[in-house]
Amino acid sequence: MTKKESLRLFEKKNVRTVWDDEEEKWYFSIVDVVAVLTDSSNPQTYWRVLKNRLIKEGNETVTNCNAFKFRAADGKMRMTDVADVQQLMRLIQSIPSPKAEPFKQWMATVAATRIDQIQDPELSISQAIEDYRRLGYSESWINQRLKSIEVRKHLADEWKRSGVETGQQYAALTDIIYQQWSGFTAKEYKQFKGLKKENLRDNMTDLEIALNMLAEATTTELSKQVNPKGFNESAGVAHRGGNAAKGARKAIEKELGHSIVSPDNAKTLNSPTPTIEIAESSEEM
């Protein structure tokens, strides 16, 4: 199961959301919805009181709500009650607000847009291009980034064919590839660039993206030749693919006279780090 956190805006107010790939549905932070609908200075308290009342009334919607760890305003990760579209529709009925109907329409649009993108990936790609442009990325970087997504998908398809399990096994193989060509695991690479929850590849330079594409494309072709079975054999192939890109990195660095692996990120290169909604298979977990 892959869950992707993102931030949505309703009337210039943040609503934290998470997309569940397995269930193919959005979950919304309930306390953020409460803040939007009530303009309360303390939406956490408002929701806590409302939640207790609804539980006492035997409200099944509240009982069935899930929780997800979101980043709070102070930067710390905290568990937050979330609800899907249907659950929120019911909860909103318990919150008197003139914004209820506009919010319901907005929420339905968010859900429908994502479903449309799943049915037609071109919509997702088109939206990503516009987002990247808005955030100040160059056209050449955008083209390369989109190509890297295609390369990644081919690798993910090959891992699936080889019997590798999605989730932690994909992440472990990705770490092997990263570590071989860059010297860093995904977590270490993010720390080096001063990142937290941001997407690592959205914070790579042109050359970093190019080398990572080379490593993943090489791993894909090697896997087709070797035909590994399961995670352990695929790990050996990932090691070889990443190592091949390491050789290219060393040769380029010798010509350039400096390291390709850079602490630069989207904030220093362009503008604030984005959250881009585009399908990409479990790259850093």
Side-chain angles (χ1 to χ4, degrees):
M1 181 188 300
T2 301
K3 291 183 171 64
K4 184 172 182 179
E5 179 185 350
S6 67
L7 201 62
R8 300 280 171 166
L9 290 177
F10 175 79
E11 295 184 351
K12 298 183 180 181
K13 289 189 176 182
N14 293 335
V15 179
R16 291 168 295 175
T17 62
V18 59
W19 173 259
D20 189 316
D21 277 344
E22 186 172 289
E23 296 186 28
E24 293 191 351
K25 64 168 65 175
W26 282 112
Y27 285 94
F28 298 77
S29 165
I30 297 176
V31 71
D32 290 352
V33 174
V34 168
V36 165
L37 296 179
T38 66
D39 292 321
S40 171
S41 59
N42 196 337
Q44 290 88 351
T45 299
Y46 188 107
W47 168 235
R48 186 165 57 249
V49 172
L50 176 61
K51 181 180 179 180
N52 288 336
R53 177 171 66 80
L54 292 175
I55 290 175
K56 289 179 181 178
E57 293 174 357
N59 189 298
E60 292 186 4
T61 299
V62 177
T63 304
N64 295 330
C65 283
N66 296 316
F68 183 80
K69 188 172 284 189
F70 281 112
R71 189 171 301 280
D74 60 5
K76 296 182 179 180
M77 301 298 292
R78 291 194 173 88
M79 293 300 291
T80 303
D81 288 334
V82 296
D84 63 21
V85 173
Q86 291 183 339
Q87 290 170 328
L88 266 186
M89 290 291 190
R90 298 189 189 100
L91 286 176
I92 290 173
Q93 294 175 2
S94 303
I95 304 174
S97 171
K99 298 179 183 179
E101 288 307 315
F103 186 83
K104 286 180 181 179
Q105 294 173 13
W106 172 85
M107 186 171 55
T109 300
V110 169
T113 298
R114 180 57 179 164
I115 296 299
D116 287 345
Q117 289 175 350
I118 290 172
Q119 298 299 323
D120 184 358
E122 187 174 343
L123 294 175
S124 181
I125 293 171
S126 297
Q127 183 62 55
I129 291 172
E130 290 305 312
D131 288 341
Y132 282 132
R133 284 173 178 163
R134 176 173 51 82
L135 290 158
Y137 288 98
S138 68
E139 291 298 317
S140 62
W141 186 96
I142 293 171
N143 290 335
Q144 188 159 267
R145 179 69 179 96
L146 294 179
K147 180 63 178 177
S148 76
I149 293 170
E150 181 183 351
V151 169
R152 176 67 185 187
K153 184 181 185 305
H154 290 163
L155 178 56
D157 289 343
E158 178 60 22
W159 280 343
K160 182 178 180 180
R161 185 191 70 81
S162 301
V164 178
E165 297 177 7
T166 59
Q168 291 198 356
Q169 289 193 353
Y170 274 39
L173 292 178
T174 300
D175 266 345
I176 291 172
I177 294 173
Y178 275 142
Q179 194 158 35
Q180 284 306 300
W181 78 259
S182 73
F184 291 137
T185 63
K187 182 179 180 180
E188 291 167 345
Y189 212 156
K190 283 186 173 184
Q191 291 173 342
F192 179 64
K193 286 181 172 289
L195 308 175
K196 294 181 180 178
K197 291 286 287 183
E198 300 91 337
N199 185 299
L200 176 56
R201 297 168 198 231
D202 281 351
N203 288 273
M204 286 184 173
T205 64
D206 287 354
L207 280 174
E208 287 175 309
I209 292 177
L211 281 171
N212 196 62
M213 276 198 293
L214 176 61
E216 294 194 329
T218 302
T219 301
T220 300
E221 292 306 309
L222 285 171
S223 182
K224 291 177 181 178
Q225 289 183 11
V226 175
N227 197 26
K229 303 298 181 184
F231 172 78
N232 290 334
E233 292 183 15
S234 293
V237 175
H239 188 282
R240 291 173 60 189
N243 197 50
K246 178 181 179 181
R249 172 195 165 193
K250 293 297 182 183
I252 296 170
E253 287 178 341
K254 184 176 180 180
E255 294 294 325
L256 294 176
H258 63 77
S259 175
I260 289 174
V261 179
S262 169
D264 286 334
N265 57 40
K267 187 175 291 185
T268 57
L269 291 171
N270 307 301
S271 54
T273 305
T275 298
I276 301 297
E277 290 295 335
I278 186 166
E280 193 163 10
S281 302
S282 305
E283 57 177 277
E284 310 133 15
M285 296 179 63

